[in-house]
Amino acid sequence: MQRHIIHTLLVVFIAVAAGLTGCSKSSDDHLKIGIAGVRTGTDGSIGGAMINGSIIAVDEWNAKGGVLGKKVELVIRDDEGKPDKAVSVARELVSNGVAAVIGHFNSGCTIPSSPIYNEAKILQITPGSTNPKVTEQGFPALFRIIGRDDQQGTIAAKFMREKLGLTKIAVLHDKTAYGEGFANEVKKTFLANGGQVVVFDGIPRTELDFRANIAVIKSSGAQALLWGGMYSQSGPLYLQLRQAGLDIPFVSGNGTIDPNFLDAVGASASNIYITFGPDYENLPAAQPFIKKYRSLYGKEGAYSVYGYDAANVLLEAIQAAGSADAAKVAAVLREKTFNTVLGPVGFDAKGDLKQSNDILWTVKDSKFVPAP
Amino acid sequence: MSPPPKAKDGGTERNEWNPWRNLKHIFFNPKKKLRSFRNQPLEKDIKPTVSLPPPDIILGGLVRGSIYGLVALGYTMVYGILGMINFAHGEIFMIGMFTCVFALGLLSTLLSTTTLVNLLLATLVAMIFSAAFGYANERIAYRRLRKAHILAPLTSAIGLSIILQNFVFLTVSKDNISFPRVYSDQLNKVAFTLGGVHFNYLQFTILGTSLVLMAALFFFIHRTRLGIAMRGTAQDQLMASLVGIPVNKIIALTFVLGSSLAAVAGVMVSMYQSVAGWNSGYIWGLKAFTAAVLGGIGNIPGAVLGGLIIGLTEDITCYYFGSNWRNSVVFLILMIVLIIRPRGLLGERVADKV
């Protein structure tokens, strides 16, 4: 009996070992590309739309015959917007043998995961992480296809200081790499332009009752509120601000651009300003993508087009480099100018966009529209 | 366009919260009195003034505190009777939130009106639904473990909490859902303005409802036959059953009562913060549990007192030091109280079971 059990165990063990080696063997006819982003959790809606954009791009390439004569195989992993989860996702993708990674979405996830990809010599391109630190780490094969928070923060701060002519603002953030980073950039620029920041404070990401912070803002006499954070908190914060009788401008960064925010604030929302990329919905180049996205997934999210562009730029660079080797692809990315839905795109030595294309948006009749 | 005028003192340096300078300011300069560090520059020529927190801070703290108290009642009643911590109580609160939002949607289409009567009906539906969940929790997860080691029902409760959170997350909504504005706007009207500060009807509604419910529960437990039976069960289950008290039914009643109170709190919170989220139960539940421990777990006035203390501490801390310090100060106070009075402020029994 004892012997029998040992034999069975042995057989099972051998079978499992064989299965594992089978898995780790890299397939030669496929090029593995990882997508790491957030599909569930409080950022699930905005992040999932980004991943869908990348999927469409890859499907288009596969329909055309793939890259370097190989079909592209996607390995999609969800980091739930959590830094610790992002690190384990990064390790998983590395051991999975992906050639390059599109992601992550949150700056707080991209920063801790990037050393892992860097060490494994895997190229990383993020469509959504705007914290300056992402590219300031000096990794040779890390790129971002979106403006930085210092560029974004400068736009927001200058708008409040020069266009609206304000002298005192309140700044709140959600204590994440993105939110606090953006808030700090706005504060820096606003102070440098001779303004005053009368409130600067952080709020935990899970908090949804802002009455105390709003009372502080009210007693401080701030003329505008800048919010560095994500859409799940932006909506309640805006509403509670108005309920307290404060009709000051509500200024926020690209984390607020999501349909969920529009739902929360309702049709009567006004005096909202958000910094974000260009208005792609009216660009002729974007029409085929928009049509395709809506037929597959419904209304696109704000980052869908960034996910789409990131995948296209990456695959084009691999094709041009003639290999998926990170160093070669990175060299191509730095040299070439790519035609994307959002216009021609080039990368500087750090891996940032040569030219940020952020503009100011506002909310009108439950829609995001470019500010006049 | 001409550049706007420069602000007089073009910088934020001195307005920022600097713990060391401010502590020095409080403790080593007895001539100056405590005041708000946030908004006034620290300069010699400015006369120090004691700045009390403005009334909206106090009211906001009381509102938060009364909700903590209402939820804490559920923790404290279950602990009083079973000696276990029902960690799934926060999730019952969250289910109350979601039920109310969906019931409101349904009622508005069925009755095609948007009056406050709908809101009351939806609250009732939420109470019944949450009470059913609370009862089911007790039957499924706790009753069989009543005689087991104390860690078994505790683990079961934590597991149940995770299951319920993920159930709502996966099947109902991954994003926060908005509370219908037609209803909340009717209560969010300004009741009166005092010194430029707006007070909403909603804040008074929450405060009033919570206090009335707490008083009703206190009356129920101390003045009715069922309440006496509950207290009897809490003291000694075996003796209670010997004198003819249906112990199982009384325990089920405890869960039903606590859950319906949590549902009312959930409805009010979703209206107050204007959204309901799958993780709201965890956030408010944790603070409510802290309130129950602070006030003395197992003690009903203690839960209310603990809730109000935590709510006020949070908001006053936010006013003087910023919301970054809010949780640190709350838990610091909890630690100090527990070191000096391990059974909590009003607690009678030592919380040695968990």
Side-chain angles (χ1 to χ4, degrees), chain A residues 45 161-162 175 197 201-202 209 211 218 243 265, chain B residues 1 5 12 64 175 181 188 196 272 322-324:
Chain A
S45 141
R161 183 77 189 107
E162 283 159 16
K175 306 211 251 188
V197 176
D201 209 348
D209 170 26
R211 297 301 192 301
K218 195 157 189 179
Q243 282 160 13
V265 299
Chain B
M1 195 175 72
T12 177
R64 275 177 88 100
D175 274 317
R181 296 273 308 278
N188 263 322
Y272 189 55
S323 52
N324 269 324

mmCIF file with all atom_site columns, all heavy atoms in Angstrom, chain A residues 45 161-162 175 197 201-202 209 211 218 243 265, chain B residues 1 5 12 64 175 181 188 196 272 322-324:
data_model
loop_
_atom_site.group_PDB
_atom_site.id
_atom_site.type_symbol
_atom_site.label_atom_id
_atom_site.label_alt_id
_atom_site.label_comp_id
_atom_site.label_asym_id
_atom_site.label_entity_id
_atom_site.label_seq_id
_atom_site.pdbx_PDB_ins_code
_atom_site.Cartn_x
_atom_site.Cartn_y
_atom_site.Cartn_z
_atom_site.occupancy
_atom_site.B_iso_or_equiv
_atom_site.pdbx_formal_charge
_atom_site.auth_seq_id
_atom_site.auth_comp_id
_atom_site.auth_asym_id
_atom_site.auth_atom_id
_atom_site.pdbx_PDB_model_num
ATOM 1   N N   . SER A 1 45  ? -12.437 51.075 -14.025 1.00 0.00 ? 45  SER A N   1
ATOM 2   C CA  . SER A 1 45  ? -13.111 51.556 -15.226 1.00 0.00 ? 45  SER A CA  1
ATOM 3   C C   . SER A 1 45  ? -12.150 52.291 -16.149 1.00 0.00 ? 45  SER A C   1
ATOM 4   O O   . SER A 1 45  ? -12.063 52.013 -17.351 1.00 0.00 ? 45  SER A O   1
ATOM 5   C CB  . SER A 1 45  ? -14.280 52.443 -14.782 1.00 0.00 ? 45  SER A CB  1
ATOM 6   O OG  . SER A 1 45  ? -14.434 53.531 -15.595 1.00 0.00 ? 45  SER A OG  1
ATOM 7   N N   . ARG A 1 161 ? -3.386  81.059 -12.092 1.00 0.00 ? 161 ARG A N   1
ATOM 8   C CA  . ARG A 1 161 ? -2.698  82.298 -11.722 1.00 0.00 ? 161 ARG A CA  1
ATOM 9   C C   . ARG A 1 161 ? -2.916  83.388 -12.768 1.00 0.00 ? 161 ARG A C   1
ATOM 10  O O   . ARG A 1 161 ? -3.216  84.531 -12.423 1.00 0.00 ? 161 ARG A O   1
ATOM 11  C CB  . ARG A 1 161 ? -1.204  81.983 -11.565 1.00 0.00 ? 161 ARG A CB  1
ATOM 12  C CG  . ARG A 1 161 ? -0.359  83.144 -11.123 1.00 0.00 ? 161 ARG A CG  1
ATOM 13  C CD  . ARG A 1 161 ? -0.502  83.411 -9.646  1.00 0.00 ? 161 ARG A CD  1
ATOM 14  N NE  . ARG A 1 161 ? 0.171   84.679 -9.312  1.00 0.00 ? 161 ARG A NE  1
ATOM 15  C CZ  . ARG A 1 161 ? -0.480  85.795 -9.020  1.00 0.00 ? 161 ARG A CZ  1
ATOM 16  N NH1 . ARG A 1 161 ? -1.788  85.793 -8.996  1.00 0.00 ? 161 ARG A NH1 1
ATOM 17  N NH2 . ARG A 1 161 ? 0.178   86.895 -8.723  1.00 0.00 ? 161 ARG A NH2 1
ATOM 18  N N   . GLU A 1 162 ? -2.746  83.029 -14.054 1.00 0.00 ? 162 GLU A N   1
ATOM 19  C CA  . GLU A 1 162 ? -2.750  84.062 -15.088 1.00 0.00 ? 162 GLU A CA  1
ATOM 20  C C   . GLU A 1 162 ? -4.119  84.266 -15.733 1.00 0.00 ? 162 GLU A C   1
ATOM 21  O O   . GLU A 1 162 ? -4.598  85.378 -15.835 1.00 0.00 ? 162 GLU A O   1
ATOM 22  C CB  . GLU A 1 162 ? -1.695  83.747 -16.157 1.00 0.00 ? 162 GLU A CB  1
ATOM 23  C CG  . GLU A 1 162 ? -0.310  84.101 -15.660 1.00 0.00 ? 162 GLU A CG  1
ATOM 24  C CD  . GLU A 1 162 ? 0.796   83.378 -16.397 1.00 0.00 ? 162 GLU A CD  1
ATOM 25  O OE1 . GLU A 1 162 ? 0.532   82.822 -17.487 1.00 0.00 ? 162 GLU A OE1 1
ATOM 26  O OE2 . GLU A 1 162 ? 1.926   83.356 -15.875 1.00 0.00 ? 162 GLU A OE2 1
ATOM 27  N N   . LYS A 1 175 ? -2.445  61.305 -1.724  1.00 0.00 ? 175 LYS A N   1
ATOM 28  C CA  . LYS A 1 175 ? -1.265  60.672 -1.148  1.00 0.00 ? 175 LYS A CA  1
ATOM 29  C C   . LYS A 1 175 ? -0.695  59.548 -2.008  1.00 0.00 ? 175 LYS A C   1
ATOM 30  O O   . LYS A 1 175 ? 0.050   58.710 -1.513  1.00 0.00 ? 175 LYS A O   1
ATOM 31  C CB  . LYS A 1 175 ? -1.566  60.112 0.255   1.00 0.00 ? 175 LYS A CB  1
ATOM 32  C CG  . LYS A 1 175 ? -2.148  61.137 1.219   1.00 0.00 ? 175 LYS A CG  1
ATOM 33  C CD  . LYS A 1 175 ? -1.734  60.830 2.627   1.00 0.00 ? 175 LYS A CD  1
ATOM 34  C CE  . LYS A 1 175 ? -2.855  60.339 3.469   1.00 0.00 ? 175 LYS A CE  1
ATOM 35  N NZ  . LYS A 1 175 ? -2.495  60.211 4.875   1.00 0.00 ? 175 LYS A NZ  1
ATOM 36  N N   . VAL A 1 197 ? -0.317  79.293 -1.642  1.00 0.00 ? 197 VAL A N   1
ATOM 37  C CA  . VAL A 1 197 ? -1.063  78.045 -1.443  1.00 0.00 ? 197 VAL A CA  1
ATOM 38  C C   . VAL A 1 197 ? -1.475  78.013 0.019   1.00 0.00 ? 197 VAL A C   1
ATOM 39  O O   . VAL A 1 197 ? -0.633  77.844 0.899   1.00 0.00 ? 197 VAL A O   1
ATOM 40  C CB  . VAL A 1 197 ? -0.210  76.817 -1.811  1.00 0.00 ? 197 VAL A CB  1
ATOM 41  C CG1 . VAL A 1 197 ? -0.949  75.532 -1.511  1.00 0.00 ? 197 VAL A CG1 1
ATOM 42  C CG2 . VAL A 1 197 ? 0.163   76.879 -3.282  1.00 0.00 ? 197 VAL A CG2 1
ATOM 43  N N   . ASP A 1 201 ? -2.884  69.530 1.617   1.00 0.00 ? 201 ASP A N   1
ATOM 44  C CA  . ASP A 1 201 ? -3.179  68.423 2.516   1.00 0.00 ? 201 ASP A CA  1
ATOM 45  C C   . ASP A 1 201 ? -3.463  67.143 1.741   1.00 0.00 ? 201 ASP A C   1
ATOM 46  O O   . ASP A 1 201 ? -3.908  67.186 0.597   1.00 0.00 ? 201 ASP A O   1
ATOM 47  C CB  . ASP A 1 201 ? -4.405  68.782 3.370   1.00 0.00 ? 201 ASP A CB  1
ATOM 48  C CG  . ASP A 1 201 ? -4.356  68.096 4.718   1.00 0.00 ? 201 ASP A CG  1
ATOM 49  O OD1 . ASP A 1 201 ? -3.522  67.195 4.903   1.00 0.00 ? 201 ASP A OD1 1
ATOM 50  O OD2 . ASP A 1 201 ? -5.162  68.461 5.590   1.00 0.00 ? 201 ASP A OD2 1
ATOM 51  N N   . GLY A 1 202 ? -3.209  66.012 2.376   1.00 0.00 ? 202 GLY A N   1
ATOM 52  C CA  . GLY A 1 202 ? -3.459  64.701 1.762   1.00 0.00 ? 202 GLY A CA  1
ATOM 53  C C   . GLY A 1 202 ? -4.627  63.999 2.405   1.00 0.00 ? 202 GLY A C   1
ATOM 54  O O   . GLY A 1 202 ? -4.900  64.178 3.586   1.00 0.00 ? 202 GLY A O   1
ATOM 55  N N   . ASP A 1 209 ? -15.758 61.241 2.506   1.00 0.00 ? 209 ASP A N   1
ATOM 56  C CA  . ASP A 1 209 ? -16.415 62.361 3.177   1.00 0.00 ? 209 ASP A CA  1
ATOM 57  C C   . ASP A 1 209 ? -15.366 63.443 3.406   1.00 0.00 ? 209 ASP A C   1
ATOM 58  O O   . ASP A 1 209 ? -14.433 63.262 4.177   1.00 0.00 ? 209 ASP A O   1
ATOM 59  C CB  . ASP A 1 209 ? -17.023 61.894 4.506   1.00 0.00 ? 209 ASP A CB  1
ATOM 60  C CG  . ASP A 1 209 ? -17.498 63.056 5.336   1.00 0.00 ? 209 ASP A CG  1
ATOM 61  O OD1 . ASP A 1 209 ? -17.820 64.101 4.751   1.00 0.00 ? 209 ASP A OD1 1
ATOM 62  O OD2 . ASP A 1 209 ? -17.549 62.923 6.570   1.00 0.00 ? 209 ASP A OD2 1
ATOM 63  N N   . ARG A 1 211 ? -15.966 66.731 4.267   1.00 0.00 ? 211 ARG A N   1
ATOM 64  C CA  . ARG A 1 211 ? -16.531 67.919 4.907   1.00 0.00 ? 211 ARG A CA  1
ATOM 65  C C   . ARG A 1 211 ? -15.491 68.695 5.719   1.00 0.00 ? 211 ARG A C   1
ATOM 66  O O   . ARG A 1 211 ? -15.436 69.924 5.656   1.00 0.00 ? 211 ARG A O   1
ATOM 67  C CB  . ARG A 1 211 ? -17.699 67.534 5.834   1.00 0.00 ? 211 ARG A CB  1
ATOM 68  C CG  . ARG A 1 211 ? -18.924 66.894 5.180   1.00 0.00 ? 211 ARG A CG  1
ATOM 69  C CD  . ARG A 1 211 ? -19.546 67.751 4.164   1.00 0.00 ? 211 ARG A CD  1
ATOM 70  N NE  . ARG A 1 211 ? -20.851 67.380 3.653   1.00 0.00 ? 211 ARG A NE  1
ATOM 71  C CZ  . ARG A 1 211 ? -21.202 66.258 3.048   1.00 0.00 ? 211 ARG A CZ  1
ATOM 72  N NH1 . ARG A 1 211 ? -20.371 65.251 2.947   1.00 0.00 ? 211 ARG A NH1 1
ATOM 73  N NH2 . ARG A 1 211 ? -22.407 66.106 2.555   1.00 0.00 ? 211 ARG A NH2 1
ATOM 74  N N   . LYS A 1 218 ? -12.750 76.560 3.344   1.00 0.00 ? 218 LYS A N   1
ATOM 75  C CA  . LYS A 1 218 ? -13.659 77.690 3.449   1.00 0.00 ? 218 LYS A CA  1
ATOM 76  C C   . LYS A 1 218 ? -13.093 78.761 4.377   1.00 0.00 ? 218 LYS A C   1
ATOM 77  O O   . LYS A 1 218 ? -13.110 79.944 4.053   1.00 0.00 ? 218 LYS A O   1
ATOM 78  C CB  . LYS A 1 218 ? -15.015 77.204 3.970   1.00 0.00 ? 218 LYS A CB  1
ATOM 79  C CG  . LYS A 1 218 ? -16.085 78.217 3.755   1.00 0.00 ? 218 LYS A CG  1
ATOM 80  C CD  . LYS A 1 218 ? -17.456 77.602 3.739   1.00 0.00 ? 218 LYS A CD  1
ATOM 81  C CE  . LYS A 1 218 ? -18.436 78.664 3.299   1.00 0.00 ? 218 LYS A CE  1
ATOM 82  N NZ  . LYS A 1 218 ? -19.783 78.180 3.222   1.00 0.00 ? 218 LYS A NZ  1
ATOM 83  N N   . GLN A 1 243 ? -22.056 71.782 -2.074  1.00 0.00 ? 243 GLN A N   1
ATOM 84  C CA  . GLN A 1 243 ? -23.063 71.755 -1.006  1.00 0.00 ? 243 GLN A CA  1
ATOM 85  C C   . GLN A 1 243 ? -22.678 72.693 0.129   1.00 0.00 ? 243 GLN A C   1
ATOM 86  O O   . GLN A 1 243 ? -23.531 73.215 0.827   1.00 0.00 ? 243 GLN A O   1
ATOM 87  C CB  . GLN A 1 243 ? -23.225 70.333 -0.458  1.00 0.00 ? 243 GLN A CB  1
ATOM 88  C CG  . GLN A 1 243 ? -24.069 69.445 -1.359  1.00 0.00 ? 243 GLN A CG  1
ATOM 89  C CD  . GLN A 1 243 ? -23.839 67.987 -1.086  1.00 0.00 ? 243 GLN A CD  1
ATOM 90  O OE1 . GLN A 1 243 ? -23.235 67.612 -0.074  1.00 0.00 ? 243 GLN A OE1 1
ATOM 91  N NE2 . GLN A 1 243 ? -24.323 67.132 -1.971  1.00 0.00 ? 243 GLN A NE2 1
ATOM 92  N N   . VAL A 1 265 ? -21.232 63.954 -10.865 1.00 0.00 ? 265 VAL A N   1
ATOM 93  C CA  . VAL A 1 265 ? -21.452 65.382 -10.644 1.00 0.00 ? 265 VAL A CA  1
ATOM 94  C C   . VAL A 1 265 ? -22.768 65.879 -11.245 1.00 0.00 ? 265 VAL A C   1
ATOM 95  O O   . VAL A 1 265 ? -23.270 66.918 -10.855 1.00 0.00 ? 265 VAL A O   1
ATOM 96  C CB  . VAL A 1 265 ? -20.283 66.252 -11.149 1.00 0.00 ? 265 VAL A CB  1
ATOM 97  C CG1 . VAL A 1 265 ? -19.010 65.900 -10.418 1.00 0.00 ? 265 VAL A CG1 1
ATOM 98  C CG2 . VAL A 1 265 ? -20.097 66.101 -12.646 1.00 0.00 ? 265 VAL A CG2 1
ATOM 99  N N   . MET B 2 1   ? -2.841  90.662 -22.030 1.00 0.00 ? 1   MET B N   1
ATOM 100 C CA  . MET B 2 1   ? -3.445  90.637 -20.685 1.00 0.00 ? 1   MET B CA  1
ATOM 101 C C   . MET B 2 1   ? -2.377  91.010 -19.658 1.00 0.00 ? 1   MET B C   1
ATOM 102 O O   . MET B 2 1   ? -1.271  90.490 -19.686 1.00 0.00 ? 1   MET B O   1
ATOM 103 C CB  . MET B 2 1   ? -3.989  89.237 -20.399 1.00 0.00 ? 1   MET B CB  1
ATOM 104 C CG  . MET B 2 1   ? -4.916  89.199 -19.227 1.00 0.00 ? 1   MET B CG  1
ATOM 105 S SD  . MET B 2 1   ? -5.613  87.565 -19.042 1.00 0.00 ? 1   MET B SD  1
ATOM 106 C CE  . MET B 2 1   ? -4.211  86.674 -18.461 1.00 0.00 ? 1   MET B CE  1
ATOM 107 N N   . PRO B 2 5   ? -2.093  90.959 -9.906  1.00 0.00 ? 5   PRO B N   1
ATOM 108 C CA  . PRO B 2 5   ? -1.271  91.493 -8.810  1.00 0.00 ? 5   PRO B CA  1
ATOM 109 C C   . PRO B 2 5   ? -0.646  90.359 -7.996  1.00 0.00 ? 5   PRO B C   1
ATOM 110 O O   . PRO B 2 5   ? -1.235  89.307 -7.834  1.00 0.00 ? 5   PRO B O   1
ATOM 111 C CB  . PRO B 2 5   ? -2.293  92.271 -7.976  1.00 0.00 ? 5   PRO B CB  1
ATOM 112 C CG  . PRO B 2 5   ? -3.611  91.676 -8.318  1.00 0.00 ? 5   PRO B CG  1
ATOM 113 C CD  . PRO B 2 5   ? -3.514  91.263 -9.748  1.00 0.00 ? 5   PRO B CD  1
ATOM 114 N N   . THR B 2 12  ? 4.255   79.986 0.728   1.00 0.00 ? 12  THR B N   1
ATOM 115 C CA  . THR B 2 12  ? 3.408   79.185 1.580   1.00 0.00 ? 12  THR B CA  1
ATOM 116 C C   . THR B 2 12  ? 4.195   78.738 2.796   1.00 0.00 ? 12  THR B C   1
ATOM 117 O O   . THR B 2 12  ? 3.663   78.206 3.735   1.00 0.00 ? 12  THR B O   1
ATOM 118 C CB  . THR B 2 12  ? 2.903   77.960 0.824   1.00 0.00 ? 12  THR B CB  1
ATOM 119 O OG1 . THR B 2 12  ? 2.138   77.182 1.723   1.00 0.00 ? 12  THR B OG1 1
ATOM 120 C CG2 . THR B 2 12  ? 4.037   77.139 0.283   1.00 0.00 ? 12  THR B CG2 1
ATOM 121 N N   . ARG B 2 64  ? -20.263 62.558 11.578  1.00 0.00 ? 64  ARG B N   1
ATOM 122 C CA  . ARG B 2 64  ? -19.458 61.349 11.398  1.00 0.00 ? 64  ARG B CA  1
ATOM 123 C C   . ARG B 2 64  ? -19.520 60.474 12.637  1.00 0.00 ? 64  ARG B C   1
ATOM 124 O O   . ARG B 2 64  ? -19.703 59.261 12.561  1.00 0.00 ? 64  ARG B O   1
ATOM 125 C CB  . ARG B 2 64  ? -18.000 61.732 11.164  1.00 0.00 ? 64  ARG B CB  1
ATOM 126 C CG  . ARG B 2 64  ? -17.649 62.055 9.752   1.00 0.00 ? 64  ARG B CG  1
ATOM 127 C CD  . ARG B 2 64  ? -16.204 62.484 9.715   1.00 0.00 ? 64  ARG B CD  1
ATOM 128 N NE  . ARG B 2 64  ? -15.316 61.358 9.539   1.00 0.00 ? 64  ARG B NE  1
ATOM 129 C CZ  . ARG B 2 64  ? -14.785 61.027 8.361   1.00 0.00 ? 64  ARG B CZ  1
ATOM 130 N NH1 . ARG B 2 64  ? -15.040 61.731 7.308   1.00 0.00 ? 64  ARG B NH1 1
ATOM 131 N NH2 . ARG B 2 64  ? -13.992 59.993 8.258   1.00 0.00 ? 64  ARG B NH2 1
ATOM 132 N N   . ASP B 2 175 ? -17.014 50.126 -9.618  1.00 0.00 ? 175 ASP B N   1
ATOM 133 C CA  . ASP B 2 175 ? -16.845 51.549 -9.331  1.00 0.00 ? 175 ASP B CA  1
ATOM 134 C C   . ASP B 2 175 ? -17.843 51.967 -8.255  1.00 0.00 ? 175 ASP B C   1
ATOM 135 O O   . ASP B 2 175 ? -18.809 51.257 -7.993  1.00 0.00 ? 175 ASP B O   1
ATOM 136 C CB  . ASP B 2 175 ? -17.113 52.369 -10.595 1.00 0.00 ? 175 ASP B CB  1
ATOM 137 C CG  . ASP B 2 175 ? -15.870 52.500 -11.450 1.00 0.00 ? 175 ASP B CG  1
ATOM 138 O OD1 . ASP B 2 175 ? -14.806 52.746 -10.861 1.00 0.00 ? 175 ASP B OD1 1
ATOM 139 O OD2 . ASP B 2 175 ? -15.971 52.339 -12.667 1.00 0.00 ? 175 ASP B OD2 1
ATOM 140 N N   . ARG B 2 181 ? -29.381 61.794 -7.236  1.00 0.00 ? 181 ARG B N   1
ATOM 141 C CA  . ARG B 2 181 ? -29.276 63.180 -6.777  1.00 0.00 ? 181 ARG B CA  1
ATOM 142 C C   . ARG B 2 181 ? -30.641 63.795 -6.470  1.00 0.00 ? 181 ARG B C   1
ATOM 143 O O   . ARG B 2 181 ? -30.754 64.675 -5.620  1.00 0.00 ? 181 ARG B O   1
ATOM 144 C CB  . ARG B 2 181 ? -28.582 64.025 -7.850  1.00 0.00 ? 181 ARG B CB  1
ATOM 145 C CG  . ARG B 2 181 ? -27.166 63.627 -8.123  1.00 0.00 ? 181 ARG B CG  1
ATOM 146 C CD  . ARG B 2 181 ? -26.212 64.318 -7.186  1.00 0.00 ? 181 ARG B CD  1
ATOM 147 N NE  . ARG B 2 181 ? -26.375 65.765 -7.155  1.00 0.00 ? 181 ARG B NE  1
ATOM 148 C CZ  . ARG B 2 181 ? -25.867 66.589 -8.039  1.00 0.00 ? 181 ARG B CZ  1
ATOM 149 N NH1 . ARG B 2 181 ? -25.172 66.112 -9.032  1.00 0.00 ? 181 ARG B NH1 1
ATOM 150 N NH2 . ARG B 2 181 ? -26.033 67.882 -7.930  1.00 0.00 ? 181 ARG B NH2 1
ATOM 151 N N   . ASN B 2 188 ? -30.137 68.126 0.889   1.00 0.00 ? 188 ASN B N   1
ATOM 152 C CA  . ASN B 2 188 ? -28.890 68.886 0.941   1.00 0.00 ? 188 ASN B CA  1
ATOM 153 C C   . ASN B 2 188 ? -29.100 70.378 0.841   1.00 0.00 ? 188 ASN B C   1
ATOM 154 O O   . ASN B 2 188 ? -28.157 71.130 0.661   1.00 0.00 ? 188 ASN B O   1
ATOM 155 C CB  . ASN B 2 188 ? -27.951 68.408 -0.158  1.00 0.00 ? 188 ASN B CB  1
ATOM 156 C CG  . ASN B 2 188 ? -26.963 67.400 0.389   1.00 0.00 ? 188 ASN B CG  1
ATOM 157 O OD1 . ASN B 2 188 ? -26.496 67.550 1.513   1.00 0.00 ? 188 ASN B OD1 1
ATOM 158 N ND2 . ASN B 2 188 ? -26.672 66.379 -0.375  1.00 0.00 ? 188 ASN B ND2 1
ATOM 159 N N   . GLY B 2 196 ? -21.452 82.809 7.641   1.00 0.00 ? 196 GLY B N   1
ATOM 160 C CA  . GLY B 2 196 ? -20.945 82.400 6.333   1.00 0.00 ? 196 GLY B CA  1
ATOM 161 C C   . GLY B 2 196 ? -20.833 80.904 6.156   1.00 0.00 ? 196 GLY B C   1
ATOM 162 O O   . GLY B 2 196 ? -20.374 80.428 5.137   1.00 0.00 ? 196 GLY B O   1
ATOM 163 N N   . TYR B 2 272 ? -24.893 61.117 2.306   1.00 0.00 ? 272 TYR B N   1
ATOM 164 C CA  . TYR B 2 272 ? -24.000 62.161 2.823   1.00 0.00 ? 272 TYR B CA  1
ATOM 165 C C   . TYR B 2 272 ? -22.767 62.303 1.941   1.00 0.00 ? 272 TYR B C   1
ATOM 166 O O   . TYR B 2 272 ? -22.361 63.401 1.594   1.00 0.00 ? 272 TYR B O   1
ATOM 167 C CB  . TYR B 2 272 ? -23.604 61.780 4.237   1.00 0.00 ? 272 TYR B CB  1
ATOM 168 C CG  . TYR B 2 272 ? -22.866 62.831 5.020   1.00 0.00 ? 272 TYR B CG  1
ATOM 169 C CD1 . TYR B 2 272 ? -23.400 64.097 5.178   1.00 0.00 ? 272 TYR B CD1 1
ATOM 170 C CD2 . TYR B 2 272 ? -21.665 62.532 5.630   1.00 0.00 ? 272 TYR B CD2 1
ATOM 171 C CE1 . TYR B 2 272 ? -22.731 65.038 5.915   1.00 0.00 ? 272 TYR B CE1 1
ATOM 172 C CE2 . TYR B 2 272 ? -20.993 63.470 6.376   1.00 0.00 ? 272 TYR B CE2 1
ATOM 173 C CZ  . TYR B 2 272 ? -21.529 64.728 6.520   1.00 0.00 ? 272 TYR B CZ  1
ATOM 174 O OH  . TYR B 2 272 ? -20.860 65.660 7.254   1.00 0.00 ? 272 TYR B OH  1
ATOM 175 N N   . GLY B 2 322 ? -4.281  69.037 9.756   1.00 0.00 ? 322 GLY B N   1
ATOM 176 C CA  . GLY B 2 322 ? -4.424  68.506 8.397   1.00 0.00 ? 322 GLY B CA  1
ATOM 177 C C   . GLY B 2 322 ? -4.869  67.058 8.421   1.00 0.00 ? 322 GLY B C   1
ATOM 178 O O   . GLY B 2 322 ? -4.615  66.333 9.380   1.00 0.00 ? 322 GLY B O   1
ATOM 179 N N   . SER B 2 323 ? -5.516  66.652 7.347   1.00 0.00 ? 323 SER B N   1
ATOM 180 C CA  . SER B 2 323 ? -6.123  65.317 7.366   1.00 0.00 ? 323 SER B CA  1
ATOM 181 C C   . SER B 2 323 ? -5.083  64.211 7.288   1.00 0.00 ? 323 SER B C   1
ATOM 182 O O   . SER B 2 323 ? -5.387  63.057 7.538   1.00 0.00 ? 323 SER B O   1
ATOM 183 C CB  . SER B 2 323 ? -7.135  65.184 6.234   1.00 0.00 ? 323 SER B CB  1
ATOM 184 O OG  . SER B 2 323 ? -6.561  65.555 5.017   1.00 0.00 ? 323 SER B OG  1
ATOM 185 N N   . ASN B 2 324 ? -3.836  64.545 6.956   1.00 0.00 ? 324 ASN B N   1
ATOM 186 C CA  . ASN B 2 324 ? -2.782  63.542 6.994   1.00 0.00 ? 324 ASN B CA  1
ATOM 187 C C   . ASN B 2 324 ? -2.640  62.913 8.373   1.00 0.00 ? 324 ASN B C   1
ATOM 188 O O   . ASN B 2 324 ? -2.245  61.771 8.509   1.00 0.00 ? 324 ASN B O   1
ATOM 189 C CB  . ASN B 2 324 ? -1.444  64.186 6.628   1.00 0.00 ? 324 ASN B CB  1
ATOM 190 C CG  . ASN B 2 324 ? -1.176  64.096 5.153   1.00 0.00 ? 324 ASN B CG  1
ATOM 191 O OD1 . ASN B 2 324 ? -1.527  63.089 4.537   1.00 0.00 ? 324 ASN B OD1 1
ATOM 192 N ND2 . ASN B 2 324 ? -0.594  65.117 4.585   1.00 0.00 ? 324 ASN B ND2 1
#
